[in-house]
Amino acid sequence: REGNGTTNANEVLGTGRGGVGIYAETFSGDIHITAGSAVGVGDNQQGIYATSETGDVTVDVGIARAEGTFSQAITAFSYAGDGDVTINAGVVSAEGDYVAGIYAAVYTGDININAVVVAVNTIAGRGILAANDTGNVNLNVNYVSTTGDETRAIDVISFGDVSIISSDTVGTFGNYADAINVMSGKSTTIDTGRIYTYGEGATGIYVVGDSVTIDAHIIEAHGNYGSAMNGGATNDVVVA
């Protein structure tokens, strides 16, 4: 559990309650996982679980999926030092109550997530959840969607800078569901194609931060008491 770790796998399947497709943990070293596909089926399952106390964590995966309550397709933490978390994923999906497609957290390092498709069917779950203390969060995604009440397609909590780029679509189907939700201590930049919500009380983009810049091609909020954009900033707000 000390030193660096490298895992290479083509196809991995984990089944049963509390299981893991790929599990990697170290106290002081780096972790690098490369997988064609990793699937976890069962409650409290993890398709990929990788955690380091102080090192970098990198996950490269083609397909990651989780099925079951409280499950995550990809979980990656660097929880005590200045290690970074980097995730490069093709298709990520999760299904079940309180699930997440990608859950990434660091202490003082940065989070970098690149994904083609993230699709989650859940209640009160997340497509992508990224949280850190003082580092930055950089998301570059193509398509992210959640289906279910009280969900968030992209949810970011960061005391550093936040950058979200979506070349295609970020959206939710469900009541009180947000497409993009950001709580940032510094600057937030959002550059997207289409944002949509379908459901009562749903919000397309909700941002609170020091300064906010939003460049969105289309924002749609369909449903009673919904809003396309909401939030606030200590300093500048720029919407293009």
Side-chain angles (χ1 to χ4, degrees), residues 64-182:
R65 178 167 174 79
E67 300 177 17
T69 303
F70 298 111
S71 295
Q72 292 89 42
I74 301 172
T75 300
F77 297 158
S78 182
Y79 56 88
D82 60 355
D84 299 331
V85 166
T86 301
I87 298 171
N88 301 302
V91 177
V92 179
S93 61
E95 186 169 358
D97 293 347
Y98 315 108
V99 302
I102 297 174
Y103 180 19
V106 300
Y107 184 49
T108 61
D110 296 337
I111 296 173
N112 303 291
I113 297 174
N114 304 290
V116 179
V117 175
V118 179
V120 173
N121 189 348
T122 179
I123 298 296
R126 302 292 185 264
I128 297 174
L129 173 58
N132 71 5
D133 193 355
T134 59
N136 302 321
V137 175
N138 303 295
L139 307 184
N140 193 328
V141 298
N142 184 38
Y143 176 88
V144 185
S145 176
T146 59
T147 301
D149 294 344
E150 300 180 13
T151 63
R152 292 175 180 171
I154 294 176
D155 193 5
V156 177
I157 304 169
S158 173
F159 287 95
D161 296 328
V162 175
S163 172
I164 299 173
I165 298 174
S166 171
S167 59
D168 193 342
T169 302
V170 179
T172 59
F173 293 93
N175 297 326
Y176 307 102
D178 298 341
I180 297 177
N181 186 289
V182 178

Side-chain angles (χ1 to χ4, degrees), residues 10-11 20 27 29 39 43-44 77 81 109 117 128 156 161 166 173 180 182 186 193 195 198 209 211 222 225 235:
N10 186 22
E11 296 182 6
V20 181
F27 289 135
V39 179
D43 293 345
N44 298 291
F77 297 158
V117 175
I128 297 174
V156 177
D161 296 328
S166 171
F173 293 93
I180 297 177
V182 178
K186 293 186 179 179
I195 303 290
Y198 287 86
S211 63
H222 303 274
Y225 314 112
N235 292 303

Side-chain angles (χ1 to χ4, degrees), residues 182-189 206-214 229-239:
V182 178
M183 304 288 287
S184 172
K186 293 186 179 179
S187 69
T188 297
T189 302
Y206 180 87
V207 182
V208 173
D210 180 64
S211 63
V212 176
T213 301
I214 298 172
M229 289 187 290
N230 203 345
T234 305
N235 292 303
D236 298 335
V237 175
V238 178
V239 178

Side-chain angles (χ1 to χ4, degrees), residues 3-93:
N4 300 329
T6 301
T7 300
N8 296 287
N10 186 22
E11 296 182 6
V12 179
L13 172 65
T15 61
R17 184 180 180 87
V20 181
I22 298 175
Y23 180 96
E25 180 182 10
T26 180
F27 289 135
S28 59
D30 299 333
I31 294 173
H32 192 166
I33 295 173
T34 302
S37 67
V39 179
V41 179
D43 293 345
N44 298 291
Q45 269 276 355
Q46 313 279 340
I48 296 174
Y49 181 90
T51 177
S52 174
E53 184 173 5
T54 60
D56 296 335
V57 176
T58 301
V59 175
D60 297 318
V61 62
I63 298 172
R65 178 167 174 79
E67 300 177 17
T69 303
F70 298 111
S71 295
Q72 292 89 42
I74 301 172
T75 300
F77 297 158
S78 182
Y79 56 88
D82 60 355
D84 299 331
V85 166
T86 301
I87 298 171
N88 301 302
V91 177
V92 179
S93 61

